[in-house]
Amino acid sequence: MIQNHPIKSAALFIFPLFFMASCSTNKYAATNKIYKEQATGFAEIIKSTPPSKQAKETLDPTMQDWIGSVNFGMRRPNFVILHHTAQDSLNQTVKTFLNKKAEVSAHYVVGRDGKVVQMVNEYLRSNHAGVGKWGNDTDLNSSSIGIELDNNGKEPFADAQIKSLVTLLAALKKKYNIPSANFIGHSDVAPRRKIDPLNFPWKVLAKKGFGLWYDDVLKMPPADFNTDLALKAIGYNVSNVAAAIVAFKIHFVQTDISPVLTPADKLILYNLYTKYL
């Protein structure tokens, strides 16, 4: 649980690595103004009492009332979803996220050089996950923080980038008490539709507590091991099993992302299945 008041804790969540001194002035003044106007609009909606447009038409109006509780707080994210930008620079991605027509965004963008740019308040919903599912969650945009890694999908992830990412993830995990298993990739929640982040060093992150990974020594699964149920237990949408297998292998196998589980893949799956239970 977050012990501090949300507004106070948000103000405290500023430290040198993530502070952008110049972006808020001049070059991005116009789009920052639009951001502030939209945020103000949301604030007015939240402040309205009774809440605007939340009366239930199916209930008798005389049987509905509004009494504001004193016990409430901001919604908090429970997942972190990692992406690669599939673009050529941090500036190109920032430009995309400032384009109204694109209708996409992320809470953070991490550059190849390790620079971290925050683009959406953590308490707000950014448009990064799209249509997807993880476990029973069908609206990952509302329950997660989205982080875009500046990478075209064909290159290794830079050391400086991963270093900054790990520092950012550590802060988010501590602040929101996010479980290790809830650090996942875009391809995990959107099988068949997305493949990012491709060739990402998940094992490196798992060793630091962000995401799970399989053990070095693997045990044979029982004869009746059901791979479909195991994928579902981990969180994958198995309405298309082949797509779920590919998503699983993008994350945990990487050397082969065919839609078929090999004997070695089944060993990995069984080991992970026991961790996610």
Side-chain angles (χ1 to χ4, degrees):
M1 294 179 63
I2 303 174
Q3 298 299 325
N4 293 327
H5 187 283
I7 302 300
K8 291 182 179 179
S9 61
L12 292 172
F13 188 59
I14 299 174
F15 44 99
L17 179 60
F18 303 136
F19 182 69
M20 243 180 32
S22 61
C23 282
S24 60
T25 59
N26 301 327
K27 186 176 181 180
Y28 297 106
T31 49
N32 281 343
K33 181 180 179 182
I34 294 172
Y35 180 99
K36 186 175 181 179
E37 289 173 349
Q38 291 182 190
T40 300
F42 291 137
E44 291 301 320
I45 293 172
I46 293 172
K47 287 194 298 182
S48 65
T49 54
S52 177
K53 299 180 180 180
Q54 292 186 20
K56 305 303 178 283
E57 296 178 0
T58 54
L59 289 175
D60 183 338
T62 63
M63 298 301 292
Q64 297 185 63
D65 198 0
W66 162 259
I67 302 173
S69 172
V70 297
N71 303 312
F72 66 98
M74 302 287 282
R75 292 182 182 271
R76 69 175 183 85
N78 195 42
F79 294 91
V80 172
I81 299 178
L82 302 182
H83 310 248
H84 72 237
T85 61
Q87 295 188 314
D88 296 322
S89 70
L90 184 148
N91 287 336
Q92 183 182 4
T93 299
V94 167
K95 185 177 180 180
T96 298
F97 290 168
L98 296 180
N99 184 349
K100 272 286 200 179
K101 293 182 179 179
E103 297 184 341
V104 292
S105 62
H107 293 90
Y108 292 94
V109 184
V110 183
R112 291 169 171 83
D113 61 356
K115 183 176 183 178
V116 177
V117 179
Q118 183 172 3
M119 299 197 70
V120 178
N121 188 306
E122 293 168 7
Y123 296 112
L124 297 178
R125 181 182 189 274
S126 77
N127 302 336
H128 67 95
V131 178
K133 183 180 181 182
W134 187 251
N136 293 321
D137 194 330
T138 57
D139 185 5
L140 275 303
N141 278 334
S142 295
S143 59
S144 68
I145 286 179
I147 301 177
E148 290 275 359
L149 299 166
D150 180 23
N151 185 290
N152 61 19
K154 302 175 183 178
E155 60 187 317
F157 291 86
D159 291 341
Q161 185 176 48
I162 297 301
K163 183 178 179 181
S164 287
L165 174 63
V166 166
T167 303
L168 173 59
L169 295 181
L172 294 174
K173 183 177 184 179
K174 180 179 180 180
K175 181 179 181 182
Y176 297 111
N177 195 27
I178 299 175
S180 295
N182 289 5
F183 292 82
I184 51 182
H186 198 188
S187 59
D188 292 317
V189 304
R192 186 173 58 175
R193 192 172 67 84
K194 295 294 181 179
I195 62 170
D196 61 302
L198 197 60
N199 298 317
F200 184 73
W202 285 109
K203 183 177 181 179
V204 173
L205 260 66
K207 286 184 176 181
K208 297 180 181 297
F210 313 116
L212 300 186
W213 197 255
Y214 55 89
D215 297 326
D216 292 334
V217 178
L218 302 175
K219 297 180 180 179
M220 288 291 294
D224 61 350
F225 178 52
N226 188 318
T227 57
D228 292 3
L229 290 180
L231 287 167
K232 185 176 181 179
I234 289 174
Y236 289 100
N237 179 359
V238 294
S239 60
N240 183 325
V241 175
I245 290 172
V246 171
F248 169 79
K249 294 175 76 168
I250 287 173
H251 190 133
F252 295 106
V253 180
Q254 300 187 347
T255 54
D256 162 35
I257 56 173
S258 63
V260 178
L261 289 171
T262 67
D265 298 336
K266 291 179 182 179
L267 291 176
I268 294 171
L269 176 58
Y270 177 65
N271 184 264
L272 287 164
Y273 162 70
T274 61
K275 292 176 182 290
Y276 277 89
L277 289 178

